[in-house]
Amino acid sequence: MQLSRYNIISEIPGSEDYVIANLLSGHADILKPAELQQLKEGGGLSSADFFHKGYLTDPEAEKQRFRLAYIDFLEQRDQEEVQVFFAPTYLCNFQCSYCYQAPYLNKPDKLSPEVTDAFFHYINTYLGDRRKYVTLFGGEPLLADKAYKDSIAGFVNTCQTNGLDLAVVTNGYLLDQYIDIFKNVSIREIQVTLDGPEEVHNRRRPHKGGRDSFARIAGSIDDCLDAGLPVNLRMVVDRENLHTLPDLARYAKNRGWTDSSLFKTQLGRNYELHHCHSDGGALFSRLSLYQELYQMLQEHPEILDFHRPAFSIARFLSDNGRLPAPLFDACPACKGEWAMDYTGKIYGCTATVGKPGEELGSFYPVVSHHENKIEEWQRRDITTIEACRQCDIQLACGGGCGSLAKNKFGGIHEADCRPVREILGMGVATYF
């Protein structure tokens, strides 16, 4: 017997104890220092239990378990639901301080019925045997122009005709004008961004006309919940606004949002994707963000009524009483996710949609595919990333984002590493 190469061992802040998690065996435990020492020495009095839970293992048996788990993963991935993003425009009515799409194509072309028809024909033909749903993306997909609004109404109606659920990612400023349209289709969620309390949000996400946006967005969230439409409230955080998270949490609670089963939240880390207006000193790394969140939760545990951070696999373990399945691939591009736009181009994901040079083909005016590029994205997982192969956290990290890896290292078969070990301990301290 020897130690499993997939053991993730993390210190638990505020305690002498450790958490051990092994996603290949599906077990996790809290260990006293003496128990951890016994494990490292080969098991001691607890060797049978350690072996049963996969922390100690026969190397050949573990290789076989990995192969079988990987086969299961591939089969499940081929059957999973596909999210198809569609950008009807890259125009936006906001001037956010950290916009990464600012250099992108901003031609004021309108979404034509021909493109809409071609989009649905394409996904029904090439993704016809897969479960799927559509997400409106941008730019800002909900704009004021009447002709544009009519084109979105036609798009939504075609979703309904094809039996496809719809999600929407919007800044929320004109959301109230679209609620009647969205009542005609099954809505998965409407993602809306508030970056903190009113003064902070208005400074970070102003309307291009110089108008404040917070109050109008908050009213639209009320309208959505009243209409039975699920809302996912997103806060994009960096060092300039994370400290206001307790204030936003209190605001949401006082507004009654957190009492609704239709309301959920997420934190989006502001980071440099392809372009970022923000001062680099304002940006968190993944680890520094979770360190700040952990400290904040010690002082403001009421935040958890508003948002429960993932802390890697810790929240999943707390919510489900088990570990998630091994994560052989954290990058959904060209597998569980595709992205397309009003110009007829095809991209792999939301991180690349609209970026010149990232096109993978077209669905309009003709159908074409860059097969070699698509195959490269589809092959990417921890088995094709050299840095992942000997890494003990590979099954919790999954190799990270292919687009970020490409931006940083020049190729998608590089690792976008996640600080799983450090974050896991903070999550166990928070949820257990």
Side-chain angles (χ1 to χ4, degrees), residues 115-397:
V115 171
T116 294
D117 291 343
F119 168 77
F120 285 100
H121 181 266
Y122 179 87
I123 65 174
N124 286 331
T125 301
Y126 292 91
L127 298 173
D129 59 344
R130 297 286 296 273
R131 293 181 300 113
K132 53 190 172 289
Y133 69 102
V134 177
T135 298
L136 279 175
F137 194 66
E140 168 51 42
L142 308 184
L143 296 175
D145 180 79
K146 183 181 184 305
Y148 176 85
K149 185 177 178 182
D150 289 343
S151 70
I152 294 299
F155 186 95
V156 171
N157 288 336
T158 309
C159 278
Q160 193 275 333
T161 301
N162 284 270
L164 294 168
D165 288 0
L166 180 70
V168 184
V169 179
T170 174
N171 61 36
Y173 190 78
L174 296 173
L175 175 56
D176 60 325
Q177 298 183 18
Y178 283 81
I179 288 178
D180 286 342
I181 294 173
F182 294 146
K183 288 179 181 179
N184 298 325
V185 69
S186 176
I187 293 289
R188 288 287 180 93
E189 68 173 34
I190 298 176
Q191 180 185 297
V192 183
T193 301
L194 286 178
D195 268 6
E198 189 161 7
E199 185 274 329
V200 173
H201 171 90
N202 287 335
R203 183 175 68 247
R204 289 168 62 88
R205 298 178 64 85
H207 189 277
K208 278 186 175 177
R211 297 184 291 276
D212 291 341
S213 61
F214 181 94
R216 183 161 184 162
I217 296 168
S220 289
I221 293 174
D222 288 336
D223 293 341
C224 283
L225 296 177
D226 290 342
L229 301 178
V231 173
N232 183 354
L233 178 60
R234 180 172 180 258
M235 180 182 182
V236 180
V237 295
D238 52 38
R239 296 185 187 279
E240 295 177 350
N241 71 327
L242 181 63
H243 67 281
T244 68
L245 176 58
D247 297 325
L248 182 61
R250 283 189 290 270
Y251 180 89
K253 183 176 182 178
N254 292 337
R255 195 103 180 189
W257 296 341
T258 56
D259 294 329
S260 173
S261 61
L262 297 172
F263 181 80
K264 65 179 181 179
T265 59
Q266 68 178 101
L267 295 185
R269 181 173 63 94
N270 184 15
Y271 61 95
E272 188 166 356
L273 184 55
H274 311 300
H275 169 88
C276 182
H277 280 303
S278 295
D279 174 12
L283 304 181
F284 285 113
S285 67
R286 289 189 184 91
L287 179 56
S288 62
L289 172 59
Y290 274 101
Q291 287 171 332
E292 292 283 341
L293 276 173
Y294 176 71
Q295 292 300 324
M296 186 176 290
L297 289 171
Q298 310 311 301
E299 301 175 19
H300 300 281
E302 69 276 9
I303 291 173
L304 294 174
D305 293 331
F306 170 75
H307 179 73
R308 302 177 70 247
F311 284 110
S312 183
I313 56 176
R315 188 187 69 190
F316 185 98
L317 181 59
S318 173
D319 290 348
N320 299 280
R322 60 179 176 83
L323 291 173
L327 183 61
F328 291 93
D329 181 21
C331 178
C334 299
K335 304 157 218 170
E337 183 175 314
W338 291 88
M340 304 173 201
D341 67 14
Y342 71 98
T343 71
K345 293 185 177 65
I346 300 171
Y347 301 84
C349 63
T350 56
T352 58
V353 65
K355 183 185 178 187
E358 296 285 358
E359 302 89 344
L360 300 178
S362 66
F363 65 89
Y364 179 85
V366 296
V367 173
S368 66
H369 298 120
H370 303 325
E371 299 289 357
N372 291 339
K373 288 184 177 181
I374 292 172
E375 182 185 1
E376 185 179 13
W377 280 103
Q378 291 178 334
R379 284 194 306 109
R380 185 189 192 270
D381 62 33
I382 62 172
T383 68
T384 70
I385 301 171
E386 184 65 32
C388 294
R389 291 175 183 167
Q390 301 303 319
C391 180
D392 57 353
I393 66 170
Q394 59 178 272
L395 296 180
C397 170

